[in-house]
Structure formats: C-alpha cells, structure tokens
Amino acid sequence: MTERREVLRALILAGSAALSPRPADAGVRPTRPRRPRVLSTWDFGIAANHAAWERLNAGGTVLDAAETGARIPEADLANHSVGKGGYPDRDGIVTLDASIMDGDGRCGAVAGMEDIAHPISVARRVMEKTPHVLLVGAGARQFAIEQGFAPENLLTAEAEAAWREWRKTSRYEPVINRENVDYRQSLPGGKDNHDTIGLLVVDAQGRLAGACTTSGMAWKRHGRVGDSPVIGAGLYVDNAVGAATSTGVGEEVIRTAGSFLVVELMRQGRSPQRACEEAVRRIVRRHPDGAKTLQVGFLALGRDGEVGAYAIQPGFTYAVCDEEKQDRLVSAPSFHR
Ligand code: SD4
C-alpha cells in the first residue's frame, strides 16, 4: 500500500515538473565534461589557434586568447583578407572590420577603420575603455590613435598590384571561397588566401569568448561594412550556451542575424552542428536559385566544447586546437555538394 502511494507520488511529481514553466535556458542540452578548445575559420586558423592556445595555457583569459589568436592573421602580410596586406576597396583604400565578445555579453567592434594594423585590439579597447560597442571610420581611427596605436599604410605593394589588375575590368563579383579568384590566382600565394578569421575559445570552466577580423570583401564599395564587426551577425557569444562566428558574404549573414541565430538555436536545444545547419538553410531558403553562387560558413562552439560547422558550398575549412591535437584542419560539411 505504502509502496503504491510512493509510486503515485513520484508520478504526480514527475507530471508537475513537466508542466512547470520552463526556465529561460531550459532547452540547453545537458553539458558534457568541459574541455578547453580553440576553433577558427579557414586554413590560416591553425597558426591563430596555436597563439590563442598558448595564451590560454599561460594563464590568459578567454578574451586574451581570442585577441592574441586574431592578431596572427592580422599581422600576416601574405594574408589578403585580414589586417595589413588585406585587399583594398574599389578606391584602393584598405578598411578593416573587427569585433570581440565574451560570454558575459561584453563586446566591442570597429568598422571601416583605416591605417591601424590590429583592429581586433582596437575593438577590445572600445569594449573596455568606452561605454560604446561600435566605432566606425574616422572616429575609430581617431580613438585608436588616442589609445596609442600607431597609424601606418596598410596597402602593401602586392595588394596594390592586385587592385590595379582588378581595375582593368572593375568587375565586382564575389567568388565562392575566394573573392575575385582570377586576380588572386595571378598572384604568388594568392590561391590559399581565404576570407575572414572568426575564432572561438572555451576554457576549462566553460567560459567563452570570440573574435572576428577582416578586410572585408575585396574591391567592395568604399564605406561598405560586412557582418564581421556586427555583433550578432559575424560573432555572438553567451556563456550560458555557446558561441558562433561566420565567414562568407556578410550581407547574407547580417540579413539573418546569423551568429545570434546559431546561438539561439543552441539555446533551444540544437547541437552546435544542427544549429549551423539550420542557419545555413535559412539563407539558402531566401534564394530562389538555392544560393548556388554564394558562400557562407558558420562555426559554433558549445560551452562544453562541442563543435559545429556548416557552409552553403564545399570548401569551407576550420582549424581545431585542444589538448589532444593542436593543429587539426577539418573540412566542414556543406548544403551543396
Ligand atoms: C565580409 N564576411 O566582410 C566578411 C568577409 C568574408 O568571404 O568572410 N569574406 O562580408
């Protein structure tokens, strides 16, 4: 008799638990043991991950690690899509975009900034030294100089040569995985230069941060800003759930609030992988031709270290660094084959 009553009581309790209002993060999947990890977009992510990983292991915060990692491609002159050496806009001016964010919602960004080689560090100063989130153009440059960043010419001879070549036709047409591939292929080292770096970090406590930095689409209209410095588009981080970043045609990512969408889908219970897949499908669905000529890739990191990656087209690679392996490069699955 007592036993039956116990069973009944247990059933009632279970039922009322199922009916009780769901807490805000109720959909979040149970977390597995935490594992520190660094993830970043494209092949050049390997070197960036290394630097971030070292910083983390030397006692740096996740923000320190994200910033340190992002500075590597920014400083690489052979990289024509990030930092100094990046391809200029159609007027021959290099303008840089970057954002940084941690899992507590602290964030900073700069857009369309000229003459400053490390926009990611300026973005961090915006976050830490101002009440603002985003500084643009001349104001961002002025702030950077006030903060001690030295102005310099960001247009390298190689990037200028590519721009002059492009001007012969002035055809603006983003090409999948490589903008204006014809011009890049004609240059030494041009072939492997991919797009934006988005870098995500989680530490052993499940604290997250991310950084995203780019010179944007090559030959863009002067003043054009992509997704990378737009919080929620190119980057979003929430310690309760995870982090996401994007690469590819920024306009598409802004239209769908892509990185925010990935994190929200994870909050509702999707794995990082399934969340990236759904965010890509949302973009594809907007295009009657199935987004055949468009590339966007998302990268996601759960607070438990779980990884997700998905792109519209094949060819999107990302680098993973953790205790087991320091230099893993993975090809992301894609919507189109
Ligand atoms: C942008 N998402 O400015 C960036 C650049 C990029 O492939 O990733 N290009 O739109």
Side-chain angles (χ1 to χ4, degrees):
M1 186 65 190
T2 333
E3 219 172 90
R4 256 186 64 193
R5 213 174 285 146
E6 297 268 276
V7 172
L8 269 173
R9 195 165 159 264
L11 282 173
I12 289 164
L13 279 178
S16 65
L19 289 174
S20 64
R22 287 154 58 96
D25 295 322
V28 174
R29 295 156 6 112
T31 51
R32 297 178 306 177
R34 304 252 154 87
R35 58 161 49 189
R37 195 169 253 170
V38 182
L39 278 188
S40 54
T41 54
W42 304 112
D43 305 22
F44 56 50
I46 287 185
N49 283 0
H50 260 291
W53 185 251
E54 268 174 25
R55 190 79 184 85
L56 200 60
N57 286 312
T61 63
V62 280
L63 261 177
D64 295 334
E67 180 189 359
T68 304
R71 286 175 62 98
I72 301 296
E74 279 184 348
D76 180 358
L77 300 188
N79 180 322
H80 296 306
S81 45
V82 181
K84 184 172 179 177
Y87 283 157
D89 61 25
R90 68 181 197 179
D91 299 335
I93 304 166
V94 179
T95 62
L96 303 179
D97 299 341
S99 63
I100 193 161
M101 184 170 192
D102 75 8
D104 294 325
R106 300 191 313 148
C107 51
V110 289
M113 187 173 66
E114 296 173 28
D115 302 334
I116 308 289
H118 284 294
I120 198 65
S121 297
V122 184
R124 184 166 178 180
R125 296 286 177 92
V126 173
M127 179 183 107
E128 290 176 341
K129 307 277 188 208
T130 80
H132 310 304
V133 168
L134 174 61
L135 294 182
V136 305
R141 181 184 183 278
Q142 183 193 339
F143 169 72
I145 292 168
E146 279 168 25
Q147 288 291 313
F149 293 82
E152 59 183 301
N153 177 18
L154 303 181
L155 185 65
T156 58
E158 200 179 307
E160 187 178 349
W163 170 67
R164 291 199 183 285
E165 190 61 30
W166 171 77
R167 284 231 300 185
K168 291 181 182 162
T169 58
S170 294
R171 190 164 47 90
Y172 179 79
E173 190 187 344
V175 172
I176 290 163
N177 296 331
R178 272 175 249 160
E179 301 138 37
N180 295 288
V181 67
D182 308 347
Y183 307 101
R184 288 189 179 191
Q185 273 177 340
S186 63
L187 291 164
K191 265 203 228 161
D192 298 328
N193 289 311
H194 283 305
D195 311 329
T196 302
I197 184 154
L199 185 141
L200 307 173
V201 187
V202 64
D203 70 8
Q205 283 71 45
R207 288 179 296 233
L208 290 138
C212 189
T213 177
T214 187
S215 50
M217 305 300 269
W219 336 129
K220 62 194 175 185
R221 172 178 282 274
H222 185 66
R224 178 266 186 190
V225 171
D227 55 327
S228 307
V230 178
I231 298 295
L235 179 67
Y236 198 71
V237 186
D238 184 340
N239 276 344
V241 183
T245 189
S246 61
T247 181
V249 179
E251 283 76 2
E252 295 296 325
V253 181
I254 294 174
R255 286 184 184 111
T256 50
S259 291
F260 180 74
L261 175 62
V262 170
V263 171
E264 285 308 296
L265 290 166
M266 287 160 66
R267 193 189 307 278
Q268 289 164 22
R270 279 189 172 79
S271 66
Q273 182 58 35
R274 296 277 171 257
C276 289
E277 290 171 13
E278 176 58 19
V280 161
R281 278 196 295 269
R282 297 257 179 117
I283 293 175
V284 171
R285 276 202 290 266
R286 296 189 58 260
H287 292 266
D289 76 340
K292 291 233 173 57
T293 57
L294 200 71
Q295 177 63 311
V296 169
F298 287 105
L299 198 54
L301 181 62
R303 62 185 186 138
D304 57 356
E306 192 176 345
V307 176
Y310 200 62
I312 301 178
Q313 314 289 344
F316 172 41
T317 56
Y318 64 96
V320 186
C321 179
D322 53 31
E323 268 146 26
E324 281 157 30
K325 279 206 172 170
Q326 309 263 308
D327 56 359
R328 209 165 347 136
L329 191 69
V330 185
S331 267
S334 55
F335 185 88
H336 293 303
R337 306 269 143 215

